[in-house]
Amino acid sequence: MEITSTDLGLAARVQQLTKTYGAGDSAVRALDGVSVGIRRAQFTAIMGPSGSGKSTLMHVMAGLDAPTTGRAWIGDTEITGLGDLDLTILRRRRVGFVFQSFNLVPTLDVMANILLPFDLDGRRPSALERARIDGLVETLGLQARLRHRPHELSGGQQQRVAIARALATAPDLVFADEPTGNLDSRSGRDVLRLLAEASAQHGQSIAMVTHDPVAASYADRVLFLGDGRVVADKPRQTPEQISAHMLEAEAVAR
Ligand SMILES: Nc1ncnc2c1ncn2[C@@H]1O[C@H](COP(=O)(O)OP(=O)(O)O)[C@@H](O)[C@H]1O
Ligand SMILES: [Mg+2]
């Protein structure tokens, strides 16, 4: 797929991305010519075997990592070549990121972690934002944990704090790397509903990496990565269809 001109229907896009880690004999090509867009107000799942480049793609799309070659945009702003300060401000205002490793600040309690995006932007949440944060805290079942620090929480609770933090400012664009990986099926479902609602009702654009076909079935669109390339791009699928596709892709790779 070639994306050459500005497309207002896309919240983020990348063109001909490659990313190589290391050099010489130990070089690993994590992305190998990826051109793809994340559509506005859609929930997109990104699937693929371990090591297929999912996390690398999300990091480059969110401006957390630079590609080796190729270009990336957030909305109409090209982020490849943008200076650190401009990039940081753009990301802070428009992008929420749920890291696979959570990235919570160990010295801050849960509430302070959730409010971190506001602190970094040098402002306090408005009354409306405060109400929104209270809603997130409730949906994610974190009410009784607000004064706890990350090390006092289970992996699943830490993951939910990371999700609340990513959604707190209601960013246009949310990237979530395996956001349900540590959750039991019930809280996993709550998180998936929250993400689906964020796109369908609030017009946010969501990209979620997952290897769970049930999780991916909540998305409007499923992208499959294999060996650093986009190998399929499908509209909403049932968990059964997604599983079948994954098995097929793994059989081809073998
Ligand atoms: N910082 C890094 N240094 C070296 N190799 C890396 C680094 N990050 C990822 N890789 C390699 O790049 C490939 C893609 O990794 P990643 O994007 O994390 O895949 P996924 O998220 O699909 O599991 C893998 O082979 C991985 O080992
Ligand atoms: Mg990963």
Side-chain angles (χ1 to χ4, degrees), residues 49-56 59 100 177-178 209 211:
S50 178
S52 57
K54 305 181 296 294
S55 294
T56 303
H59 288 136
Q100 213 168 350
D177 200 347
E178 308 264 10
V209 166
H211 54 239

Side-chain angles (χ1 to χ4, degrees), residues 170-254:
D172 297 344
L173 184 56
V174 177
F175 293 98
D177 200 347
E178 308 264 10
T180 58
N182 287 274
L183 304 182
D184 58 79
S185 51
R186 192 167 151 262
S187 36
R189 267 198 311 275
D190 291 342
V191 165
L192 292 163
R193 281 204 205 98
L194 193 65
L195 296 175
E197 237 175 68
S199 58
Q201 288 172 27
H202 306 294
Q204 289 167 276
S205 313
I206 317 284
M208 171 185 74
V209 166
T210 181
H211 54 239
D212 175 5
V214 174
S217 73
Y218 281 75
D220 301 305
R221 175 189 183 200
V222 188
L223 294 173
F224 293 88
L225 252 62
D227 267 338
R229 297 164 177 268
V230 176
V231 294
D233 181 351
K234 311 235 173 202
R236 185 188 291 276
Q237 309 258 291
T238 65
E240 294 72 27
Q241 289 172 311
I242 294 167
S243 300
H245 195 87
M246 294 271 280
L247 286 171
E248 207 178 289
E250 278 167 25
V252 170
R254 229 178 268 125

